[in-house]
Amino acid sequence: MEPMDGIELVKRIRNEGAEEVRYVPIVMLTGHSEADRVRAARDAGANEFLAKPVSANSIYSRILRIVENLRPFIKSESYFGPDRRRHNEGPPDGIAERREAQANPAVDNFSVLSENEAAELLAN
């Protein structure tokens, strides 16, 4: 992907995008599935990660995971993006809470499709 790679694109969206764009859910699709690349995508602010080849079901399951389990966004000096922790254990000892309490403006109007509705859309 020229002139930048996917990780750079995610960083730019999260850090330089307009306020409503910064919260857009991002599923990174890539042929590079090395652990370092997965961590880099997570640390850039991607919500989910999929390695190619992908199926319609795997894409659907990632989108559904984002919609059903919205993670709050974190804002710190070095990171802006979805909370990378999958469990709510609170902030580390001695660190103030960094999760934002407001709703995610990019997903306020989402509606969840049934599995049949999604399969029908993907088939067309």
Side-chain angles (χ1 to χ4, degrees), residues 77-115:
E77 291 179 18
S78 60
Y79 176 77
F80 178 81
D83 190 345
R84 295 175 284 195
R85 298 169 288 186
R86 298 284 180 167
H87 306 285
N88 185 4
E89 298 174 2
D93 289 338
I95 304 233
E97 180 66 60
R98 296 177 296 202
R99 286 178 276 199
E100 295 181 3
Q102 80 253 17
N104 183 336
V107 295
D108 283 345
N109 297 318
F110 269 14
S111 61
V112 178
L113 300 174
S114 71
E115 195 168 331

Side-chain angles (χ1 to χ4, degrees), residues 19-59:
E19 194 61 26
E20 58 277 351
V21 174
R22 294 177 75 191
Y23 291 91
V24 167
I26 298 172
V27 178
M28 180 169 279
L29 300 171
T30 183
H32 304 284
S33 60
E34 300 86 11
D36 290 344
R37 298 283 294 184
V38 175
R39 277 191 292 276
R42 178 202 63 199
D43 292 346
N47 294 72
E48 294 290 337
F49 187 92
L50 278 171
K52 295 176 187 174
V54 298
S55 67
N57 285 337
S58 63
I59 294 171

